[in-house]
Amino acid sequence: MTPEPNTPARPEPTGETGISATAVLGQQCSGGIHRLPEACRAELRAAAADRGLLCGEVDLGKRTSAAEALTAIGSALNFPAWYGANFDALADCLDDYGDEPASGGVVLLRGSEALRASDPAALETLIAVLAEVSAKRRDSVAPLWIFLAEAPASGAPKTQP
């Protein structure tokens, strides 16, 4: 679509790789972990809805422990009552997140600064679990995309293009 005369073209928001959330979600095999600036949240929600994907946002806010972060994730993503708020249960629930009737899942994780400051190992483990589940689902009929609003902790898997 060409912009109206005298109307500046609005650039599409992009992650650190210069690829927009819309483009990332348009590629079935791009499920995985991606960096997405906070300003691109609306674009991500719209792109997920357009593709029939379940989209959840997790704000870790002031959570400073793995237990607090895992509880917040379970609550934000409406995990079932049996969710035990541990890393194994997180992997199990994410394995089904956005499966049916949706055609995949999108999770935006933000507010990880307090957890990074108080328990960087817990944040690294969290990101490693997210990476493992999203990689496992990458080529499935219901992929899982994880978008991080902040850069991952050192030692955590790098975000993918």
Side-chain angles (χ1 to χ4, degrees):
M1 183 166 107
T2 307
E4 297 282 328
N6 299 324
T7 303
R10 192 176 63 167
E12 193 167 13
T14 60
E16 71 181 14
T17 61
I19 301 172
S20 73
T22 302
V24 169
L25 295 181
Q27 300 171 357
Q28 179 88 3
C29 62
S30 68
I33 294 186
H34 304 273
R35 171 85 167 83
L36 186 75
E38 186 77 13
C40 300
R41 282 184 13 216
E43 178 214 358
L44 177 63
R45 284 191 302 268
D50 287 348
R51 287 165 177 75
L53 303 170
L54 182 61
C55 184
E57 295 184 43
V58 179
D59 184 358
L60 295 180
K62 298 183 189 294
R63 278 41 173 231
T64 58
S65 71
E68 291 174 345
L70 291 164
T71 299
I73 292 168
S75 177
L77 300 181
N78 297 313
F79 284 168
W82 60 260
Y83 172 64
N86 59 61
F87 290 115
D88 288 335
L90 174 65
D92 289 343
C93 287
L94 284 176
D95 206 24
D96 295 331
Y97 184 78
D99 203 353
E100 290 180 17
S103 57
V106 173
V107 175
L108 173 63
L109 182 69
R110 56 192 172 97
S112 62
E113 296 89 356
L115 183 59
R116 179 187 323 250
S118 65
D119 193 349
L123 181 60
E124 289 182 21
T125 301
L126 172 61
I127 292 176
V129 169
L130 297 172
E132 181 180 326
V133 175
S134 60
K136 177 180 168 186
R137 292 182 55 182
R138 182 172 296 129
D139 295 322
S140 75
V141 295
L144 178 65
W145 289 267
I146 306 293
F147 289 89
L148 304 176
E150 295 88 24
S154 66
K158 300 271 190 234
T159 56
Q160 301 157 355

